[in-house]
Amino acid sequence: MSSRKLATAVIGAGPAGLLFCLVGRILEPDPRPWAIALYDKRTAYERTHRLRMDPAPYRRIQGDLRHALFDDFIAFLEAEQFRPSANQLERRLAGVVAELGIVRGRLTAGDGPGEAGLTEVRSRLAQDVGFGDDTLVTVVGADSVKSEVRRLVDADGSLQRERHQSVARLKLEGTALPARLGWVEQFKMAKLLGSVLDYRLNPNGYAEVDLFLAHDEHQRVGELGAVPAAPVPLDRATLEALGAPFFAAIVGHLVDHLGAVATASLQSTFRLEHQISPHVTFDAAGTTVFLVGDAAISLPFFRGMASLADNVHSLARAHRAVLDGAPLAIAARTYERRAAEVAQREIEVVRKRNRMVLAAREVVRISSVVPFPIQSWLLSVPDEQRPGSALTSDVLLNAVLAVIAGAIAVAAPLIGGYVAAPLGWLWLAALPVEAVGGYVFETARRLEERPNRLLSLVWQLQLAILLLAGIPLTVMSSLALGRPAQLYALVAWFVLGIAFVGGMLLAGRSHGEAAVAAGYTHDAS
């Protein structure tokens, strides 16, 4: 048994606090040298959202501990494919921690009426576990992203924040919900939304859909005030009054077409942002305080559980080092350094994933309006807005440009096949005309009061004709020359389509949307 003695109050019985108790008690099974008390302000939480956990940090802990209890915990995570619901995870951890003799007590940290400051926490710890003057006392703040422990020791609140995305989470209830969405169905719905979405079947029998929304739609949806404990039903009247057309369209499609969905409700709205405490160790009121979990670093894109595991492991090891004779100040500095390394590594992962989401959102945004025939006719859901079909001057101008560009593209292989004239200059002439068409199309689309089906149909027909004409043109040219020739005619429609998209993007930038091309606003503070 170690000659050093520790007493630790863990504030927060979420995954971070529970995992710390588990790892700490495995590292030191005897509570006499290291007494651990677990506190929380509530007896239970209702957190049913499904997690996605990176297995790597948990397997590192498993390899270090080599203990049957942690092996059983990993087996549980494997059975859930490292995607348990938050409640499942917490229940499992709480059960194991209780087996190890650590029982959760009620305590509310803070400086308000009826709340416990660090001095009161220390007194409560002495009352519950008993310790002498020779005992080193630590407090572990694992009390969520809005940590009261952090506020007690870092009154200035010098947090580093960076916002990435705005999300609305739907809850779908019904029978025969699919385990996952096929990529075609997901792409269709993403186009309807004009952004990206993430579908997950929850083990509690319902599905969750995260919708990445533009700032204005997210703000309107957020006004419904939905929280997980009180979801807001999304009936037709609510959606019509919301003023968020893309959100309403995707909810309507989910309810009407996805399996046998009976109801949809808004579970919550939130911002995906990372929040970091520059320091995770403090000396206050004669006590060394550590922050861990979301209290130390809160990350989006399912990276919070990864940083949580690495920091819990480091913090438990730091306490073990103190029991083995290391000065507490040295152990604290070691944890501070390792937590900073984890934060730097994970933030890079988060930023990389955010760039991927931004790229996907931009692709979907363009795809939702670009008039490529295959994706427009085969990979789209019905347009609930019932676009009009008026023959306007904009439609006529687009038709003229489409005919000119298409005629040049068709003439190039014909002349090359039978006259053997150089074609480079003739083919290149079609590209700027098509790009101008994309610019004119996007400008007209933005000025419409409601979608005009003919505007898109003009370009869909042009590209479809070029797609179908490319095959016989290539065959005819090849037969005339006695060898494969004019093969580019097979892909001419696609090359012209890329030029068309370039014109659309240029129109978007000229209309003042360069910074928010995907409906994304970046906020760093």
Side-chain angles (χ1 to χ4, degrees):
M1 186 174 68
S2 172
S3 59
R4 301 288 292 274
K5 290 187 177 181
L6 269 174
T8 299
V10 180
I11 311 297
L18 291 167
L19 187 63
F20 175 81
C21 290
L22 172 59
V23 176
R25 185 51 74 226
I26 290 176
L27 289 174
E28 178 49 73
D30 190 345
R32 287 173 293 178
W34 188 12
I36 302 175
L38 176 64
Y39 301 109
D40 202 289
K41 62 184 178 181
R42 300 179 188 176
T43 56
Y45 292 90
E46 186 62 24
R47 292 186 281 219
T48 58
H49 61 281
R50 192 161 193 168
L51 303 170
R52 289 178 179 169
M53 301 167 64
D54 182 354
Y58 294 88
R59 295 198 188 281
R60 285 195 290 268
I61 299 175
Q62 181 186 25
D64 178 39
L65 298 182
R66 300 183 180 276
H67 192 279
L69 279 178
F70 205 86
D71 290 344
D72 289 343
F73 174 62
I74 293 296
F76 155 75
L77 292 179
E78 289 174 339
E80 295 295 328
Q81 300 180 317
F82 282 86
R83 295 185 177 189
S85 68
N87 277 359
Q88 275 184 303
L89 178 66
E90 291 174 6
R91 281 196 299 266
R92 183 74 181 205
L93 285 170
V96 178
V97 166
E99 287 181 31
L100 294 172
I102 300 174
V103 180
R104 176 169 57 186
R106 289 288 299 278
L107 182 144
T108 301
D111 56 5
E115 297 178 341
L118 292 179
T119 301
E120 290 77 16
V121 169
R122 187 183 177 103
S123 299
R124 174 67 182 272
L125 182 64
Q127 174 186 329
D128 290 344
V129 302
F131 56 81
D133 294 337
D134 60 338
T135 302
L136 296 172
V137 178
T138 64
V139 171
V140 173
D143 53 339
S144 82
V145 67
K146 297 179 180 179
S147 172
E148 288 295 328
V149 174
R150 184 182 63 227
R151 194 170 60 82
L152 287 173
V153 296
D154 187 18
D156 294 337
S158 54
L159 295 173
Q160 299 171 358
R161 293 189 179 95
E162 185 175 332
R163 182 173 296 170
H164 301 283
Q165 297 287 340
S166 301
V167 180
R169 177 167 293 166
L170 301 180
K171 181 178 181 180
L172 306 178
E173 297 177 279
T175 59
L177 291 169
R180 61 185 58 84
L181 296 179
W183 72 268
V184 172
E185 183 65 23
Q186 184 139 337
F187 180 66
K188 287 181 177 181
M189 287 195 289
K191 284 177 59 184
L192 185 62
L193 181 64
S195 183
V196 293
L197 55 87
D198 179 28
Y199 174 95
R200 304 181 300 281
L201 186 63
N202 192 287
N204 293 297
Y206 57 86
E208 294 168 308
V209 184
D210 286 349
L211 307 179
F212 292 77
L213 300 179
H215 175 71
D216 55 345
E217 288 226 346
H218 185 267
Q219 195 168 25
R220 293 189 188 99
V221 175
E223 292 172 358
L224 293 175
V227 294
V232 175
L234 295 173
D235 53 34
R236 189 172 297 276
T238 301
L239 292 172
E240 289 177 354
L242 195 55
F246 296 110
F247 177 81
I250 197 67
V251 172
H253 177 74
L254 286 167
V255 172
D256 293 339
H257 301 287
L258 184 59
V261 177
T263 61
S265 56
L266 178 65
Q267 200 168 26
S268 60
T269 56
F270 50 92
R271 310 281 188 183
L272 290 182
E273 64 180 15
H274 72 249
Q275 176 177 291
I276 304 167
S277 177
H279 298 286
V280 294
T281 62
F282 302 87
D283 288 313
T287 304
T288 301
V289 178
F290 300 92
L291 302 179
V292 74
D294 285 347
I297 173 171
S298 174
L299 298 169
F301 299 111
F302 300 100
R303 294 310 299 174
M305 293 300 295
S307 64
L308 177 156
D310 280 332
N311 284 344
V312 160
H313 191 195
S314 295
L315 184 55
R317 272 292 170 195
H319 281 74
R320 176 70 261 182
V322 172
L323 287 172
D324 292 338
L328 182 55
I330 298 298
R333 284 199 291 272
T334 300
Y335 174 64
E336 180 90 20
R337 184 182 70 254
R338 290 179 178 171
E341 291 170 355
V342 169
Q344 183 177 9
R345 180 193 72 209
E346 292 296 338
I347 288 170
E348 287 306 310
V349 175
V350 165
R351 286 174 174 155
K352 184 181 296 184
R353 292 190 176 183
N354 185 54
R355 287 193 291 270
M356 292 173 62
V357 171
L358 286 174
R361 291 188 65 178
E362 182 65 359
V363 168
V364 169
R365 185 187 73 87
I366 293 297
S367 179
S368 65
V369 294
V370 71
F372 277 24
I374 294 176
Q375 71 92 21
S376 296
W377 296 338
L378 302 180
L379 296 177
S380 295
V381 298
D383 191 346
E384 302 295 338
Q385 299 184 58
R386 297 181 181 177
S389 55
L391 187 61
T392 63
S393 58
D394 286 331
V395 172
L396 293 174
L397 177 58
N398 276 266
V400 169
L401 291 170
V403 169
I404 293 173
I408 295 173
V410 170
L414 287 175
I415 296 174
Y418 296 104
V419 183
L423 298 179
W425 65 270
L426 185 57
W427 169 246
L428 292 176
L431 296 180
V433 178
E434 193 80 5
V436 170
Y439 188 96
V440 171
F441 168 81
E442 181 69 0
T443 301
R445 191 185 67 83
R446 291 173 184 275
L447 297 177
E448 292 174 330
E449 293 185 1
R450 67 172 185 153
N452 189 334
R453 187 177 62 86
L454 293 181
L455 198 62
S456 295
L457 187 60
V458 163
W459 296 103
Q460 290 166 9
L461 289 174
Q462 184 230 42
L463 293 174
I465 290 170
L466 292 176
L467 172 62
L468 296 175
I471 298 174
L473 287 174
T474 297
V475 172
M476 292 166 60
S477 298
S478 299
L479 291 174
L481 296 175
R483 58 179 173 78
Q486 311 300 337
L487 297 179
Y488 70 87
L490 297 174
V491 296
W493 70 276
F494 185 76
V495 177
L496 283 175
I498 297 301
F500 185 89
V501 171
M504 288 179 60
L505 291 173
L506 183 61
R509 289 183 177 275
S510 67
H511 287 285
E513 293 196 11
V516 289
Y520 163 74
T521 53
H522 179 272
D523 176 25
S525 57

